[in-house]
Amino acid sequence: MAQVSNDGGCEPNLIPLLDLVLQLVMFFIMVANFAAQQVTSDVMLPLATSARPPDPGETDVIYLNLNSEGKLMVTGREPLQTLSEVKYFLISEYNTAKRAAEQAGEKEPKTVVIIRADKNADFKPVYEILKECKGAGFRKWQLRATVKNK
Amino acid sequence: MARPSRTMSSAIDLPITPMLDMTFQLLAFFILSFNPMSAVEGQLQFTLPVSPGGRLEPVELPPEPPTTEPGKLTAPLTVVVKTVRDGVNDGNISALILQTLEGELAVPDLEALRAALQSKREESAGQLKIAAETRLKYACLIDVMDTCLKSGFQNVGFAAPPDLGVH
């Protein structure tokens, strides 16, 4: 509510507005998913009724986004054009994960490779990336899809 | 020197405006980074084929030959998914073939595949491979995988595409 000051000016009461905005900020802080920064909205996921909600406990993950042309997009990098670039990237990621696992006293890294491929992409690049993941040493992976109501 | 009187009004004037500015900036950041799509995203887990000794297969995957002959099957059940690129049905499913150790069975659609898979689930111990052609649209592959998972198969994996190296 506006208040009338002694000099006759009108001062809006900003405190209720500040309360409201702080509540909005709190809401967005609660629902913020920083892992989502690794995914891109350029990828239109296919629909699947048997898709389960992602396990929030899996924090050691690598997101591989494949666009409709089959190009691999990784956060903070240019799209990887060739298979040799993909291979080099996956091997370097695996070596990094393996060093971290050894420091934690584990034999093998528990990194989960999450493949988010566009629904209009061909199967060939997906299969090639799976093959390169296996060749690099990764042992756990998931495909992502949009959950479709049964 | 005149000392300020204690009776003077000593109300503290908090600067609300800079605080509000900062809060609006925080609000803008969180609104822009808000991604509600992640709420409807789900995972489809699949497994690697395990060799009889219990260890995973060797790291290097040799290009597997086309698994069109029943004797060369690497899993008790394999679903072969064929596609066409004729300008109309680009990347859609053109044929579904269920390969077992006894032979092949062509199924007309995904519903028929589901019924056929449910009847074979016991004898294959829940193991299944999908051999999809390389030009198959990924959405169609997920449809097939979805059907396999709904049929009760837990170990669904991928075989080498039958046409790999042909094109």
Side-chain angles (χ1 to χ4, degrees):
Chain A
M1 185 183 286
Q3 291 177 340
V4 179
S5 63
N6 293 334
D7 56 355
C10 186
E11 290 180 1
N13 190 359
L14 295 177
I15 293 173
L17 181 62
L18 188 62
D19 288 346
L20 179 73
V21 175
L22 278 174
Q23 286 195 28
L24 282 171
V25 169
M26 283 301 294
F27 167 75
F28 282 108
I29 287 175
M30 299 281 281
V31 300
N33 181 12
F34 290 101
Q37 291 178 0
Q38 295 181 50
V39 305
T40 170
S41 57
D42 295 339
V43 174
M44 297 289 292
L45 294 177
L47 297 172
T49 54
S50 56
R52 294 175 298 162
D55 184 4
E58 284 177 343
T59 52
D60 189 7
V61 296
I62 297 175
Y63 282 90
L64 302 178
N65 297 286
L66 263 84
N67 64 11
S68 58
E69 297 167 357
K71 298 282 186 297
L72 182 62
M73 295 183 293
V74 183
T75 311
R77 286 172 176 252
E78 290 291 313
L80 305 180
Q81 302 286 341
T82 63
L83 205 56
S84 55
E85 284 180 354
V86 173
K87 192 173 185 175
Y88 177 78
F89 166 75
L90 290 172
I91 289 173
S92 61
E93 286 290 322
Y94 180 78
N95 289 336
T96 306
K98 193 172 184 181
R99 276 195 297 273
E102 284 171 353
Q103 285 174 359
E106 294 168 353
K107 277 186 179 178
E108 292 286 326
K110 293 178 179 174
T111 308
V112 182
V113 179
I114 296 176
I115 296 172
R116 299 178 78 253
D118 192 282
K119 61 183 181 181
N120 293 314
D122 286 349
F123 174 55
K124 188 178 181 182
V126 178
Y127 179 77
E128 284 174 340
I129 284 175
L130 282 174
K131 207 169 85 169
E132 294 302 335
C133 285
K134 192 174 179 181
F138 290 108
R139 288 291 175 265
K140 292 175 79 177
W141 31 50
Q142 294 172 6
L143 299 177
R144 282 289 166 93
T146 303
V147 179
K148 181 183 174 185
N149 293 326
K150 294 175 184 175
Chain B
M1 188 172 141
R3 297 174 64 184
S5 169
R6 284 181 183 270
T7 56
M8 282 177 63
S9 172
S10 59
I12 301 170
D13 191 18
L14 276 175
I16 297 292
T17 312
M19 199 176 192
L20 197 59
D21 289 347
M22 185 201 68
T23 314
F24 268 122
Q25 288 194 22
L26 278 173
L27 183 63
F29 167 75
F30 282 109
I31 287 175
L32 291 174
S33 63
F34 182 54
N35 181 19
M37 286 303 289
S38 61
V40 293
E41 192 171 312
Q43 62 178 10
L44 287 167
Q45 206 136 16
F46 60 99
T47 56
L48 289 174
V50 179
S51 59
R55 294 179 59 190
L56 292 166
E57 285 187 339
V59 170
E60 284 299 324
L61 264 181
E64 295 176 27
T67 54
T68 52
E69 296 176 27
K72 291 187 178 178
L73 287 179
T74 54
L77 267 182
T78 303
V79 178
V80 180
V81 190
K82 294 182 177 289
T83 184
V84 285
R85 288 275 179 180
D86 57 1
V88 179
N89 298 310
D90 280 348
N92 292 325
I93 298 171
S94 65
L96 286 166
I97 300 166
L98 183 60
Q99 292 184 338
T100 64
L101 296 174
E102 292 86 33
E104 292 185 355
L105 172 69
V107 288
D109 55 17
L110 291 173
E111 278 303 312
L113 175 69
R114 186 177 178 178
L117 286 176
Q118 281 175 340
S119 65
K120 303 277 183 188
R121 191 178 59 191
E122 295 294 325
E123 57 194 80
S124 66
Q127 285 193 8
L128 174 71
K129 273 190 174 182
I130 300 172
E133 289 191 343
T134 53
R135 292 182 298 174
L136 182 75
K137 204 183 283 182
Y138 181 66
C140 299
L141 177 79
I142 292 296
D143 287 341
V144 175
M145 195 173 174
D146 205 19
T147 304
C148 297
L149 290 171
K150 281 192 289 186
S151 305
F153 285 84
Q154 300 300 320
N155 295 325
V156 178
F158 293 116
D163 61 341
L164 191 67
V166 174
H167 300 284

